[in-house]
Amino acid sequence: MKRRRTVRESASIEPPPGYYVAGAEPPDAAQRTLILDWVVSRRIASGWRVESRSGSQVVLVRGQPVNHVLHAFLTVFSCLVWGIVWAGVALANRVERVALTVDAQGRIVTVSAP
């Protein structure tokens, strides 16, 4: 039987050792970009996707919005039977957004967005 590999959700968002030395002078713009790239690649491996990106900030999204037009069409043509499925999908589906910013000291600041 083949074991199924799961991605850990609680992956560390701190950059790996060697990107900068803690306590020394703050990282420059290139180092901060590398730190942000590393954190974004870890999040992408966990199932997130990039919605937008600037030099020091990235907005990541996980989940898909519900296609209400399709579900309404199916509900009408199934004589309202599909409405039960539609209600379940609408209640269970979530779209999550998070903004990651790297500050002047090289730390990642995470802000949950609506």
Side-chain angles (χ1 to χ4, degrees), residues 39-60:
V39 172
V40 168
S41 68
R42 297 283 304 240
R43 289 288 181 112
I44 288 172
S46 305
W48 293 82
R49 65 184 186 279
V50 177
E51 186 175 58
S52 67
R53 173 154 188 163
S54 66
S56 63
Q57 185 179 30
V58 175
V59 176
L60 299 171

Side-chain angles (χ1 to χ4, degrees), residues 12-110:
S12 172
I13 61 170
E14 289 300 315
Y19 270 74
Y20 65 94
V21 178
E25 67 180 54
D28 61 357
Q31 288 173 323
R32 288 194 308 265
T33 301
L34 287 174
I35 292 167
L36 190 61
D37 287 343
W38 186 80
V39 172
V40 168
S41 68
R42 297 283 304 240
R43 289 288 181 112
I44 288 172
S46 305
W48 293 82
R49 65 184 186 279
V50 177
E51 186 175 58
S52 67
R53 173 154 188 163
S54 66
S56 63
Q57 185 179 30
V58 175
V59 176
L60 299 171
V61 180
R62 179 170 53 183
Q64 294 287 334
V66 177
N67 187 347
H68 292 291
V69 173
L70 173 65
H71 286 287
F73 182 75
L74 291 172
T75 300
V76 168
F77 285 104
S78 68
C79 298
L80 304 177
V81 175
W82 190 259
I84 298 168
V85 175
W86 183 11
V89 168
L91 291 174
N93 192 26
R94 291 187 314 156
V95 176
E96 297 176 81
R97 281 188 176 74
V98 66
L100 301 175
T101 306
V102 61
D103 65 4
Q105 275 66 41
R107 292 183 303 250
I108 300 296
V109 178
T110 305

